[in-house]
Amino acid sequence: MKRDSTVVSGSTFLVTDGEGQPTREHDGFYHRDTRHLDRYELSLGPELETLDVTDRRPGERLLHLGTPLDTGSREFHVSRRQFVTDGLFERVSISNLTDEPAETEVLLSVGSCFDDLFEVRGMVADVDRTVHTTTTDRGLSFTYAPSDIEFRRRVSVEVGGDDAVSVTTRNGTARGDGTVVVDLELDARETLSLPVAVTVDGRPDDPAAAVDAAGEDVRERNRTWQTETSLARPEEAWEDVLIESRENLLELRQETEHGSILSAGVPWFATAFGRDSLIAAYQSLSLSTTIAKGTCRYLAAQQATRTDPAVDAEPGKILHEVRHGELAARELVPHRPYYGTIDATPLFVVLVHEVWQRTGDDEFLTELWPAVSRALTWITGEVADGGFLSYPVDDDQEDGQLRHISWKDSNDGIVYPDGTHPSGELAVAEVQGYAYDALDRGAEIARQADEHARSRDLREAATNLKERFDVTFWLPGERFYAVGIDGDGTPIPSVTTNPGHCLWSGIVPEERADAVVDRLLEPDMFTGWGIRTFASSHEAYNPQSYHLGSVWPHDNSLVALGMARYGRTDGARRIAEGLIAAARARGNDRLPELFAGFDRGNTDIPVTYGEACEPQAWAAGAPLACLQAISGDEIDTGHPRSKH
């Protein structure tokens, strides 16, 4: 079973297998979308086996290892206390467990080809790299600096201490490889400690001091987060899950010049995503408004100002994804940034308004109004003349571009019940809800900015979109909304979670809400752990697919918020309790990006999907949003929520 163990700080992380060992193709040490070390293995002369892996706190992991049992006893014990900040730091302690002196050697094997994260994921890129290796008395460095673009990456590995060290390297230019060997002589029962510093910004002068500083940085970051945030009166069964969520959000928090923002998830999405970062910030507003403000400011600074089809940019759009690796620098992928999303722009308006509404911070609203205004201009242009917020479904995407640019963005994210793909210009249900919510909230923001004529226009646009949506998407026979409208105007009658988001946005008329809620809770949708993305009664259903029957916690949390909005806290509680039970049943109190859509009664545990990110920002935010859904306004920050 694939289960990552990660030590994370924003866009910097170490990923290994569940026993803390680098046994899989994607394991290694990453920083800003480049794998700086694809080989990072520590061993003794004797074989080591993992005894325990403990996540001490965000950014810190403790491994316990030992030599194999020999007549009931172990000769050596090794502990590895690892910290991740903007580098990787660890203190390795080696204990002689016997009553006799012992000699051994510690071998640290490292290597790098500085592969881009997209290459790790399988993309084939025609990039020839030359990696330069240099050595010191107690370590080595790998450097990659192509001459044809402004892009330079370096990683240094240094071992501290006073014990004898030898450094060897292998010949080769396409990658760097080397081994640092430390010879140890231990008295009976003696423990020796070796500090190891892996840095990306130059070689540390004192590895021991660097490890100590990293440990203190991790602890101080955690103390500050605990002070800045608070969990709102959780039910007892929820407490450990909510604590885990808070820790996961800290792991994924990254700092920018515009403030804090959540990276989407590890290992594949440790960067800012428009949709993911916005939703995760919204979900966690009861925890803190700091991240939400930073998210809005960062995305406003990255807002598109011109049309560029290569990156799907249009004036006013909010980015989908930004990458900092070599393939983005070479423009071999469009993420520089990439604006291929249909929903980040309305979600941006929603979050700005929600932050203002909860905090009463008029200065924040004034600061963000220009970006909000540009976003609203883009939205109103898209839905003008009786249209919907839609996108073309093409089969000729270039590398890095997506067929579907709503949240179900896999190639088969939106299909008919039998699996047939839509064609032409596709309008997806929840996107219309987001657009309606943005227009409705935008009218209030415009009024606050004394642009009263525009406020009236926005309110009218919202009302018209709401009416068109109900007429066009409603399926009378199903008493539910279509997941989308095909390019020829045909409603796609698949029963999915997408219309549940429409409850969250408020686009569903009051008289339809109960029918929508009840359909979502039918056995072909609700598994007991959560609501499936796609009904099990459909021919194309697959519980082990990405979007055709799996359960996504963030998806469920927005549906729960929507149910609560229409007074259906009974449904919201069923979802919330199912997700909390799933987190607890997994054994780590954590919700992954997604899990399989099997019925709870048939599995006893939420079966893993196998390639889900963990931790993942909007999965971590899901329990917080669910708590809000079943608790109501009593967990708000003092400013009543509008019902729009």
Side-chain angles (χ1 to χ4, degrees):
M1 180 178 70
K2 173 188 176 293
R3 178 69 68 85
D4 288 338
S5 177
T6 55
V7 201
V8 189
S9 179
S11 61
T12 305
F13 61 93
L14 172 69
V15 58
T16 66
D17 68 18
E19 295 197 341
Q21 302 305 315
T23 59
R24 292 91 49 84
E25 290 293 326
H26 71 280
D27 288 336
F29 171 64
Y30 294 74
H31 176 70
R32 288 173 67 82
D33 301 319
T34 297
R35 182 161 59 172
H36 283 64
L37 291 175
D38 56 31
R39 188 162 167 252
Y40 184 71
E41 301 177 50
L42 185 141
S43 60
L44 288 189
E47 180 186 354
L48 287 176
E49 58 188 32
T50 301
L51 305 177
D52 188 63
V53 180
T54 304
D55 295 322
R56 294 283 297 156
R57 56 178 59 85
E60 180 181 349
R61 182 176 73 175
L62 179 60
L63 307 180
H64 288 287
L65 308 102
T67 51
L69 289 170
D70 182 13
T71 63
S73 300
R74 302 184 194 275
E75 182 181 7
F76 291 104
H77 177 268
V78 176
S79 69
R80 302 177 64 182
R81 189 175 294 272
Q82 301 173 320
F83 306 100
V84 168
T85 53
D86 54 355
L88 167 62
F89 306 87
E90 67 172 300
R91 188 170 298 282
V92 183
S93 297
I94 304 96
S95 299
N96 175 10
L97 303 178
T98 72
D99 56 5
E100 298 287 340
E103 295 182 359
T104 189
E105 60 182 13
V106 177
L107 296 87
L108 183 61
S109 302
V110 295
S112 178
C113 64
F114 292 101
D115 43 353
D116 189 282
L117 182 135
F118 283 98
E119 293 175 289
V120 178
R121 296 189 68 187
M123 180 178 170
V124 178
D126 186 18
V127 178
D128 293 323
R129 298 187 178 94
T130 299
V131 177
H132 298 281
T133 303
T134 56
T135 62
T136 66
D137 291 341
R138 302 188 68 85
L140 69 168
S141 297
F142 305 126
T143 304
Y144 171 55
S147 60
D148 56 334
I149 59 169
E150 287 293 325
F151 185 85
R152 185 178 188 275
R153 294 294 182 266
R154 179 183 180 184
V155 62
S156 300
V157 181
E158 291 287 321
V159 177
D162 299 321
D163 301 281
V165 172
S166 62
V167 181
T168 59
T169 61
R170 299 179 187 175
N171 294 328
T173 58
R175 59 175 292 112
D177 287 286
T179 303
V180 181
V181 180
V182 185
D183 294 318
L184 298 180
E185 296 181 359
L186 295 98
D187 291 333
R189 314 295 185 189
E190 184 181 12
T191 297
L192 293 178
S193 180
L194 294 176
V196 180
V198 180
T199 54
V200 297
D201 54 0
R203 184 174 63 85
D205 294 328
D206 185 347
V211 172
D212 289 343
E216 181 54 33
D217 284 349
V218 166
R219 289 186 290 272
E220 179 58 29
R221 190 168 185 250
N222 188 67
R223 285 192 293 265
T224 301
W225 182 240
Q226 297 291 329
T227 302
E228 289 179 352
T229 61
S230 60
L231 293 173
R233 297 183 298 280
E235 300 182 13
E236 184 177 353
W238 292 48
E239 186 171 4
D240 290 342
V241 176
L242 292 170
I243 289 171
E244 179 70 20
S245 288
R246 178 162 66 176
E247 292 184 350
N248 292 165
L249 292 172
L250 174 57
E251 290 177 295
L252 297 171
R253 175 176 175 168
Q254 55 179 299
E255 303 303 327
T256 76
E257 61 182 302
H258 307 287
S260 302
I261 188 170
L262 294 169
S263 58
V266 173
W268 306 128
F269 307 118
T271 187
F273 272 70
R275 177 193 308 122
D276 299 52
S277 298
L278 286 162
I279 288 177
Y282 185 102
Q283 292 169 312
S284 59
L285 276 169
S286 63
L287 199 65
S288 170
T289 58
T290 301
I291 288 177
K293 286 184 174 182
T295 300
C296 293
R297 289 181 171 123
Y298 175 85
L299 294 175
Q302 302 289 333
Q303 190 175 35
T305 58
R306 61 188 179 89
T307 299
D308 183 353
V311 295
D312 284 352
E314 297 172 8
K317 285 185 73 175
I318 297 299
L319 67 82
H320 171 63
E321 179 180 356
V322 61
R323 292 291 185 172
H324 307 282
E326 183 181 5
L327 299 195
R330 291 187 178 278
E331 300 188 359
L332 296 177
V333 294
H335 308 86
R336 48 190 186 272
Y338 174 50
Y339 294 87
T341 171
I342 195 68
D343 51 16
T345 306
L347 287 169
F348 169 75
V349 177
V350 169
L351 184 61
V352 170
H353 179 270
E354 189 72 13
V355 170
W356 170 60
Q357 189 176 57
R358 291 185 183 228
T359 64
D361 189 343
D362 291 341
E363 291 184 3
F364 169 79
L365 193 67
T366 299
E367 174 193 348
L368 271 295
W369 168 240
V372 169
S373 178
R374 291 189 291 270
L376 289 167
T377 296
W378 181 81
I379 296 168
T380 53
E382 292 294 303
V383 302
D385 301 322
F388 291 111
L389 205 53
S390 60
Y391 58 90
V393 183
D394 300 317
D395 293 320
D396 57 351
Q397 293 82 24
E398 297 181 4
D399 282 334
Q401 292 187 322
L402 304 167
R403 169 186 284 176
H404 289 291
I405 56 175
S406 54
W407 90 256
K408 292 179 180 175
D409 55 4
S410 58
N411 280 341
D412 57 2
I414 306 295
V415 297
Y416 282 83
D418 64 358
T420 300
H421 289 274
S423 60
E425 196 78 13
L426 177 66
V428 181
E430 82 279 2
V431 176
Q432 315 318 312
Y434 302 161
Y436 162 77
D437 200 11
L439 293 168
D440 193 51
R441 292 174 186 258
E444 188 174 352
I445 299 173
R447 186 172 64 250
Q448 180 72 12
D450 291 328
E451 296 196 17
H452 297 287
R454 187 166 191 201
S455 177
R456 289 191 295 271
D457 290 344
L458 290 167
R459 187 77 70 190
E460 182 180 359
T463 300
N464 291 340
L465 178 58
K466 184 174 184 176
E467 292 173 353
R468 289 198 306 277
F469 170 78
D470 187 59
V471 169
T472 309
F473 280 75
W474 183 248
L475 302 170
E478 191 68 59
R479 292 183 53 76
F480 198 64
Y481 287 103
V483 65
I485 303 299
D486 210 333
D488 61 2
T490 302
I492 302 170
S494 302
V495 176
T496 67
T497 47
N498 301 60
H501 293 219
C502 296
L503 296 169
W504 175 54
S505 67
I507 197 172
V508 176
E510 291 282 349
E511 63 272 17
R512 303 256 200 241
D514 281 340
V516 173
V517 171
D518 291 342
R519 184 65 188 88
L520 289 167
L521 295 174
E522 288 291 325
D524 65 342
M525 288 296 286
F526 187 67
T527 71
W529 301 116
I531 301 177
R532 297 180 177 95
T533 47
F534 190 84
S536 63
S537 54
H538 292 331
E539 186 178 345
Y541 165 71
N542 183 338
Q544 281 278 26
S545 65
Y546 203 50
H547 289 130
L548 294 179
S550 54
V551 175
W552 286 65
H554 95 276
D555 180 31
N556 275 254
S557 75
L558 297 184
V559 175
L561 285 171
M563 289 180 176
R565 177 176 184 148
Y566 286 84
R568 290 296 301 272
T569 54
D570 59 317
R573 180 168 287 277
R574 287 185 67 186
I575 293 172
E577 291 178 347
L579 290 180
I580 297 302
R584 290 166 63 90
R586 297 182 75 243
N588 61 358
D589 297 315
R590 177 189 293 175
L591 289 169
E593 178 186 13
L594 72 157
F595 53 87
F598 297 113
D599 284 325
R600 179 176 178 177
N602 296 332
T603 60
D604 295 328
I605 59 169
V607 176
T608 183
Y609 170 69
E611 295 293 334
C613 286
E614 190 177 340
Q616 211 253 9
W618 62 13
L624 297 166
C626 285
L627 180 61
Q628 177 176 318
I630 66 173
S631 301
D633 288 341
E634 59 184 75
I635 68 167
D636 283 356
T637 56
H639 297 270
R641 297 184 64 187
S642 165
K643 303 302 180 186
H644 308 296

